[in-house]
Amino acid sequence: MYQYNILNSCVACIELSDVIEKTMSGLLTSRINVDDCKEEALTIVRCDQILEKHNRPLKNLLLRILGGKIEGKSRGDILDDKNGAQYISLNRLKFQLKSPICQLKEHYLEYILRELKDSLDAQNKPWTEMCMKALISQCIFMGWSAKGLFLLSELFESEKSAPEQWRSFENQITTGGNTEFQVYYSIKLETRSGMGADNVRDVIRAVGFNINTGREIIADADENKTDLYSKLNAETTYIISEISAPDLYSGVLAVINTLNSKLSIATFYNTISPWIANTPQIVVYNDTTHMATALRLTDIFRTYDYIDSNNGVFEDTNRIFTDTSKEHITTKLSAAFAYTNLSRSSLFQETKYISLWIALESVMRTGQYSDIISHVKLVLPEILCIRYFYRIVRNFSEDCIRCGFKMDTTLNLDMQSTNKKELVKKLISIFRSSQDYPVLLARCGVNSLLEYRCNEIYELLNDQAAILQKFDHYVQKIRWHIQRLYRIRNEITHSAFREQKSLVIYIEHLYTYLAQLMSEVVYYVEHKNVSTVEEAYAIILESYRTYYELLKEGGMTLTDVLPTGVIEII
C-alpha cells in the first residue's frame, strides 16, 4: 500500500489551530511547535491548486494569516507570560483561523471530489494524483483507515456503469453515515485462588463490556449471522463491542483503544491478569451486509517490511554482534532492537508508539546536541536522504511487478531479481539512456498510472535541479514530521492524547525511520570502517552535505549523479 500525505490545506489549518490551543494552555511549552505547523501549513496552502480554483479569496486570506509574524520570543523559547506579546499574538492567530477553518470544513471535500471527478473524466493524471493526495488526507482526518480507503477501489471494479460507480464511491465518503459493526474480541480467562472464571467475567462486565462464549453466541441462532457463527470458536470467550465507524479497520482500532482503557483499570489493581487480551482472535460482523471478517492484530497494526531483506543487513548486523571489539555499538543497537520488539509485541497503540520513539531516541542520542529532539530532527532527515532515490527506483520496480511487468529480455531486465542493488543501478541507467528508455516506457504502457510514474521518474533523474529540489523538499518535510512525532510523544506521556485518534500511520512512520536508520548505521560500521555510532552519524551527515554542494555547484555530469541511487562519498 502506498504511503500518503497526512495533511492537505484543511487538515493543516486544523492541526495548527489545535497546536496553538495546546501551546496557550501550557500542554506544549515550546513555540517551535507552532512555528513548524504554521510554516508547513503555509507551504501546503501556497501550493493548493484546488483551493486556488474554487475559492481564491479564501486561499489569499489564509496566505495572509499564515504568512504573518508571531511576535515575542524566539523559536524554541518557552511560553510563560500570558500578558506577553507572544501569548497575545498566538491568541490573535487562533481567532484569525476560526472562520477560514469553518469554510474549509464545510466545502473543501466538495472541492476535492469535484476536481477528482473532472480529472478522471479528462484522464488528467497529474491533476488526479494531486486530488487523490488531498482526498486521502481528508478521509484519514475524517476517521477512515488507510486500508478501508484502499478497499473502496473495489467499487470501481463492479459491473455498474462508470457514473454509478462514481456515485457509490462519492456516497461512501460524503454521506457521513458510518457502518455499524459488532466486534468479537477473544480473551483468556486466567483464574487464580479466589478469582474464578465467573469472577473474571463479572469484572469485565463491571467495566462496561458484554462477554459470552462462542457457544452462547451461536446459540442465539440469528439467521442473519450464519457467516459470523462459522468464524467463532465455540469454546472461546469473547468480549463483544458495538461500534459505528467509517470502515471495518478504523472500527476495530477504536474498540481496541476502548478495551485498553477500560481493562487497564482492572489489570492495574491486579483484579484480572494483564495478559487477558494478549493473543486475540478478532471477528467483525457488519450489520449491513451480514458478513463477518476474521482478523489478526497485525491486520490492524501493520508495520510493513521497510528493510530490504536482499541488502545483507541481517548478515552485517550479525557480524557486528559477534565482534567483541564493537561492544559500544552493539549496546546502542541492542537497546533499539529491544524497544522495537516491545512495540511490535504490544497490543495497544500508545505503547507501540512510545516504545518505538524510545528505540529511536536510544540509538540517536550522542551528546552532540543540547536536547533529544535536536539529536533526531537535525540528523535523521539527511540520513534518510542517503538512499532516498534508491527507494524511489526500488519502489518503481515493485509497481512494475504489481502491474504484471516482470521482465524484459531486450533490456536484460528482471524486476524480480534478488540483487536489488544491481536492479536499481540497471533501471537508473535505462532511465538515462535515449535508446533504452523508450522500450521501458512502452512496457509500462500495461497500466496508464505506471506509465505516468515511469515518465515522472525519467524527468526527475534527468534534471539535476529537480534532484536538488527533491532533496530540499524531503529534508524539510521530514523535519516537520519529526517535530509532529515528538509532539505526539509528549501528548501521550503527559496524558493529553485523545484515544480516539488513530496512531497507526505514525507508528508506521517511526518504524520506517528506525529501520532505515539502523540499516545505514550497520552498513557504515561494517563496510566503511566506522568504529562508533556517533562516528557513523557524523560521516553520513558530511557525506550528504558534500554531495549536495557538489550537485549545487553543477560540476557533475548527469551519469555521475546517483548512478546507484545512493549517496556515497567515501
Side-chain angles (χ1 to χ4, degrees):
M1 186 181 295
Y2 286 103
Q3 294 297 300
Y4 53 85
N5 292 325
I6 294 171
L7 303 179
N8 58 29
S9 292
C10 178
V11 182
C13 290
I14 292 169
E15 180 189 58
L16 174 58
S17 179
D18 181 60
V19 169
I20 291 170
E21 291 273 9
K22 288 173 179 173
T23 303
M24 294 178 67
S25 71
L27 173 62
L28 302 175
T29 56
S30 174
R31 203 189 95 180
I32 198 168
N33 290 297
V34 176
D35 289 331
D36 275 11
C37 273
K38 181 168 166 288
E39 189 178 349
E40 187 172 11
L42 177 61
T43 301
I44 291 169
V45 171
R46 185 181 288 131
C47 299
D48 192 337
Q49 297 180 64
I50 297 172
L51 195 57
E52 171 77 20
K53 183 174 179 179
H54 286 272
N55 199 332
R56 189 175 182 185
L58 178 58
K59 178 179 178 178
N60 289 343
L61 175 63
L62 282 169
L63 290 175
R64 279 184 59 83
I65 293 170
L66 297 171
K69 182 181 178 182
I70 297 176
E71 299 171 4
K73 297 184 178 182
S74 304
R75 290 167 63 95
D77 282 352
I78 295 175
L79 180 71
D80 55 6
D81 183 4
K82 292 190 176 182
N83 296 313
Q86 180 172 296
Y87 188 93
I88 292 170
S89 185
L90 290 178
N91 199 32
R92 185 185 307 121
L93 179 58
K94 179 183 75 172
F95 285 106
Q96 287 173 336
L97 285 169
K98 279 189 176 294
S99 291
I101 286 174
C102 286
Q103 288 288 310
L104 289 169
K105 283 182 175 179
E106 185 175 354
H107 299 294
Y108 194 63
L109 178 59
E110 176 191 341
Y111 298 159
I112 296 169
L113 288 169
R114 194 183 307 169
E115 287 306 310
L116 177 60
K117 177 66 164 59
D118 290 346
S119 70
L120 289 170
D121 290 343
Q123 296 188 358
N124 184 341
K125 293 179 181 60
W127 201 267
T128 297
E129 183 180 39
M130 178 189 68
C131 293
M132 283 301 299
K133 287 178 179 178
L135 179 60
I136 292 169
S137 302
Q138 196 70 22
C139 289
I140 294 295
F141 172 74
M142 291 160 56
W144 284 83
S145 71
K147 205 163 186 178
L149 285 174
F150 181 77
L151 293 175
L152 285 181
S153 62
E154 294 176 359
L155 295 173
F156 294 97
E157 298 168 4
S158 69
E159 295 181 358
K160 294 179 180 178
S161 66
E164 289 176 322
Q165 289 175 350
W166 174 260
R167 280 194 294 273
S168 297
F169 172 75
E170 190 176 34
N171 287 338
Q172 284 279 346
I173 293 171
T174 58
T175 56
N178 288 340
T179 302
E180 301 298 323
F181 297 102
Q182 293 175 15
V183 180
Y184 296 78
Y185 191 104
S186 72
I187 58 170
K188 291 183 177 180
L189 293 181
E190 295 187 11
T191 61
R192 63 176 187 272
S193 178
M195 178 62 73
D198 288 340
N199 300 116
V200 174
R201 289 189 183 94
D202 289 342
V203 169
I204 292 171
R205 291 188 180 105
V207 297
F209 287 113
N210 292 325
I211 180 171
N212 284 107
T213 64
R215 191 179 306 282
E216 290 170 329
I217 297 166
I218 295 168
D220 287 343
D222 186 334
E223 62 181 17
N224 289 324
K225 295 184 176 180
T226 305
D227 190 47
L228 168 67
Y229 299 153
S230 70
K231 292 180 172 64
L232 297 178
N233 187 320
E235 306 306 319
T236 300
T237 300
Y238 296 91
I239 287 177
I240 307 162
S241 184
E242 296 182 353
I243 187 74
S244 177
D247 66 86
L248 179 151
Y249 297 95
S250 61
V252 173
L253 177 63
V255 168
I256 291 173
N257 291 340
T258 303
L259 192 74
N260 174 34
S261 176
K262 292 187 176 182
L263 289 185
S264 62
I265 301 170
T267 58
F268 179 84
Y269 290 106
N270 202 28
T271 307
I272 57 176
S273 167
W275 315 112
I276 189 169
N278 253 30
T279 54
Q281 175 203 18
I282 303 170
V283 181
V284 189
Y285 175 72
N286 186 319
D287 280 358
T288 304
T289 64
H290 306 305
M291 299 301 292
T293 304
L295 299 172
R296 297 168 299 172
L297 202 63
T298 51
D299 293 320
I300 309 301
F301 295 111
R302 174 137 189 169
T303 48
Y304 297 92
D305 188 8
Y306 293 110
I307 300 177
D308 191 340
S309 59
N310 295 296
N311 68 3
V313 66
F314 173 74
E315 292 78 7
D316 287 345
T317 305
N318 216 24
R319 280 192 290 271
I320 292 171
F321 271 74
T322 56
D323 187 340
T324 55
S325 67
K326 295 176 179 175
E327 185 177 347
H328 173 72
I329 296 172
T330 58
T331 300
K332 279 267 190 185
L333 299 183
S334 292
F337 290 147
Y339 281 110
T340 301
N341 287 334
L342 177 63
S343 171
R344 298 181 86 169
S345 61
S346 172
L347 289 175
F348 305 117
Q349 63 171 2
E350 289 87 351
T351 308
K352 284 180 172 291
Y353 187 94
I354 287 294
S355 298
L356 278 177
W357 180 269
I358 295 172
L360 187 64
E361 183 178 313
S362 68
V363 80
M364 294 210 71
R365 187 186 288 274
T366 61
Q368 297 176 34
Y369 300 92
S370 60
D371 53 64
I372 185 53
I373 184 59
S374 295
H375 279 85
V376 181
K377 192 175 179 182
L378 301 181
V379 177
L380 185 59
E382 285 81 357
I383 292 177
L384 297 180
C385 279
I386 296 296
R387 295 178 194 274
Y388 180 40
F389 279 79
Y390 173 89
R391 292 192 297 274
I392 289 174
V393 179
R394 173 82 166 85
N395 290 341
F396 168 74
S397 71
E398 295 299 318
D399 290 340
C400 291
I401 293 171
R402 279 189 285 269
C403 293
F405 169 27
K406 300 178 181 180
M407 183 179 294
D408 189 282
T409 54
T410 307
L411 297 172
N412 192 26
L413 186 62
D414 180 5
M415 295 296 188
Q416 295 177 302
S417 168
T418 56
N419 191 335
K420 300 304 178 184
K421 292 180 181 178
E422 284 302 315
L423 173 61
V424 169
K425 184 178 179 180
K426 176 74 173 176
L427 279 168
I428 291 173
S429 70
I430 291 171
F431 275 115
R432 288 172 171 165
S433 167
S434 58
Q435 179 180 347
D436 293 339
Y437 175 67
V439 179
L440 177 66
L441 184 63
R443 289 302 311 272
C444 290
V446 295
N447 182 286
S448 60
L449 293 177
L450 181 65
E451 184 180 34
Y452 168 69
R453 182 66 176 146
C454 180
N455 191 60
E456 217 178 25
I457 296 174
Y458 166 78
E459 291 178 353
L460 174 63
L461 290 176
N462 287 283
D463 185 342
Q464 292 192 44
I467 290 172
L468 275 171
Q469 188 178 25
K470 194 79 169 174
F471 275 132
D472 287 337
H473 176 76
Y474 187 65
V475 167
Q476 184 58 73
K477 191 172 181 179
I478 296 297
R479 285 208 214 289
W480 283 332
H481 196 48
I482 289 169
Q483 188 67 43
R484 178 178 295 109
L485 297 174
Y486 187 60
R487 188 166 66 243
I488 293 171
R489 173 259 188 206
N490 289 339
E491 289 184 35
I492 294 172
T493 56
H494 296 136
S495 303
F497 181 74
R498 301 192 308 274
E499 288 182 354
Q500 66 268 28
K501 179 180 178 182
S502 171
L503 288 176
V504 170
I505 186 59
Y506 303 109
I507 291 167
E508 289 184 9
H509 287 166
L510 277 174
Y511 181 70
T512 306
Y513 295 167
L514 187 61
Q516 292 171 8
L517 172 71
M518 298 287 274
S519 294
E520 214 59 60
V521 169
V522 165
Y523 178 77
Y524 269 74
V525 169
E526 196 61 19
H527 298 280
K528 302 289 186 179
N529 298 318
V530 168
S531 57
T532 65
V533 172
E534 292 82 355
E535 184 186 349
Y537 294 152
I539 196 63
I540 293 170
L541 275 174
E542 290 311 311
S543 293
Y544 171 76
R545 290 165 181 164
T546 302
Y547 205 92
Y548 183 89
E549 287 302 320
L550 288 170
L551 279 173
K552 201 170 183 180
E553 290 168 4
M556 301 172 68
T557 62
L558 187 62
T559 53
D560 291 332
V561 176
L562 300 168
T564 64
V566 181
I567 292 176
E568 290 193 85
I569 294 292
I570 60 169

